[in-house]
Amino acid sequence: GYIVGLNLQNKKIGFFDRLKVAIFKLEDYGMFLGERIFTAFKYFFILVLLVSIILTFVTTYDFFKMINKTKEYIANELPDFIYEEGKVKFNQNIEAYDHEYNFKLIINTNDELDDNTLKEYKDKIDNFGIIMLQNKAIFISNDIELQKEYSEITNYYGLGINNKSDLQNILNTSNINAIIGTYFIADFIGTYIGNIISIFLDVCVIAVFGWIAARFCGVNFRILLMAQLAIYSLSLSIILNCLYNVAYILFNFYIEQFNVIYLLISYVYIIAAIFMIKYDIIKQNEELQKVIEEQMKLRKQKEEEEAQEKEDNDKQTDEDEKEKTEEEPVIETNKEPDGSEI
């Protein structure tokens, strides 16, 4: 098979030109093989950074909407309450549900609450919700359950909430801005680190798959070179995944088995890239063979010309010597006197 190494020349291109090549120009993937692995990972970190920034802005916007919605609910619908000595007492028990966020709020601050009633409350929460009891709050997210006593929450966050008015004051404009800013920073850090880890694992999976596929295609790639190709092969999948998450957050748009589609696109890209590179290698080898044959032909022609020139020179030398011999006067030697000298 063909052995592919770092023997290709490459020109420097910017990030967005590189992204364009990665998505739309599979025939140019061979240029990536002439780069250092550092260049590919630099592209990887920038792409993940841009995607993480977009997702963070969207999630922060959604969080901002949720905070405003909560603020309006507290002002208009939440019953009055009093909090003292680690216990809260609402004027009435309520069950509220928000369809947009699939959020369930249950409040029951009666002195006594049996286990069966509490279990019924938990069963009513499908996705995300809060159950507020007299001395604690139960936070439920899917199958995860977290219980916190009010005294623990107020002490940890330094909240001075004794009634509904205090709660509304905390959610004034300046405090909301601070909450949003803190949320943005925390969410960006978490999103960026999480994306780096998850996408890097995808790079490893695609690289191994591509390495195996390349062997079947008769092209032997070093694993680091295949990791470079895997990074670029994931470009479209990463962008589509970002757009999908944006649509899911803003419009609750859901595609079943999207993760399978995400990886399938990358598999198609890397296989197509391998075939393109193999074709380029074969084409380059054919062109190289033609050049070698042409050079051998020219060399043979030159040798023949030199041999002919030598032969002509030798022939000309022989003719010159013969001609010179014929032109020289004949001198008789040891000639006997014939008596005419007297």
Side-chain angles (χ1 to χ4, degrees), residues 181-198:
T182 303
Y183 177 86
F184 179 87
I185 295 172
D187 187 59
F188 169 72
I189 294 173
T191 300
Y192 188 45
I193 294 175
N195 282 339
I196 287 176
I197 295 172
S198 63

Side-chain angles (χ1 to χ4, degrees), residues 27 81 102 110 129 137 148 150 173 182 186 201 205 226 252 258 275 296 315 321 338:
E27 66 275 10
F81 67 90
N102 194 15
N110 293 339
K148 289 285 185 179
Y150 298 126
T173 303
T182 303
L201 293 176
V205 172
M226 189 52 68
N252 202 25
F258 180 81
F275 277 110
M296 292 179 64
K315 185 176 181 181
E321 290 179 357
D338 57 1

Side-chain angles (χ1 to χ4, degrees), residues 93-126:
N93 298 332
I94 63 168
E95 292 186 20
Y97 179 73
D98 182 82
H99 292 276
E100 182 178 2
Y101 294 101
N102 194 15
F103 174 79
K104 183 82 173 181
L105 173 65
I106 299 175
I107 298 176
N108 187 333
T109 56
N110 293 339
D111 293 334
E112 296 182 2
L113 183 68
D114 59 84
D115 294 337
N116 290 333
T117 302
L118 182 59
K119 186 178 182 303
E120 290 177 4
Y121 287 161
K122 292 179 180 180
D123 292 338
K124 290 180 180 180
I125 299 176
D126 296 327

Side-chain angles (χ1 to χ4, degrees), residues 11-25 28 31-32 43 232:
K11 61 181 181 179
K12 292 184 177 180
I13 59 175
F15 170 80
F16 289 103
D17 290 332
R18 191 177 296 275
L19 179 62
K20 183 178 179 182
V21 171
I23 296 176
F24 300 109
K25 296 184 178 181
D28 291 338
M31 64 180 288
F32 297 136
Y43 168 84
Y232 294 107

Side-chain angles (χ1 to χ4, degrees), residues 15-111:
F15 170 80
F16 289 103
D17 290 332
R18 191 177 296 275
L19 179 62
K20 183 178 179 182
V21 171
I23 296 176
F24 300 109
K25 296 184 178 181
L26 283 166
E27 66 275 10
D28 291 338
Y29 264 50
M31 64 180 288
F32 297 136
L33 299 180
E35 300 176 331
R36 297 177 301 166
I37 189 69
F38 169 79
T39 305
F41 274 99
K42 179 181 177 182
Y43 168 84
F44 168 79
F45 284 118
I46 294 175
L47 179 59
V48 176
L49 175 65
L50 292 177
V51 167
S52 299
I53 290 174
I54 293 172
L55 289 175
T56 302
F57 270 111
V58 173
T59 53
T60 303
Y61 169 74
D62 189 61
F63 181 72
F64 176 74
K65 281 176 53 182
M66 185 174 65
I67 290 293
N68 281 334
K69 201 166 189 179
T70 302
K71 184 179 178 180
E72 291 178 3
Y73 175 80
I74 292 173
N76 301 322
E77 299 182 42
L78 186 69
D80 290 329
F81 67 90
I82 297 176
Y83 172 75
E84 56 185 5
E85 297 181 355
K87 293 184 179 182
V88 65
K89 183 67 177 179
F90 279 85
N91 290 348
Q92 66 182 82
N93 298 332
I94 63 168
E95 292 186 20
Y97 179 73
D98 182 82
H99 292 276
E100 182 178 2
Y101 294 101
N102 194 15
F103 174 79
K104 183 82 173 181
L105 173 65
I106 299 175
I107 298 176
N108 187 333
T109 56
N110 293 339
D111 293 334

Side-chain angles (χ1 to χ4, degrees), residues 294-307:
E294 187 66 24
Q295 288 178 346
M296 292 179 64
K297 184 178 179 181
L298 292 174
R299 183 177 177 181
K300 184 177 180 181
Q301 183 178 353
K302 184 178 180 181
E303 290 175 352
E304 290 176 351
E305 290 177 353
E306 290 176 352

Side-chain angles (χ1 to χ4, degrees), residues 251-266:
F251 311 109
N252 202 25
F253 178 76
Y254 176 73
I255 299 178
E256 190 173 356
Q257 300 298 326
F258 180 81
N259 289 336
V260 176
I261 300 172
Y262 166 89
L263 289 176
L264 183 61
I265 293 172
S266 302

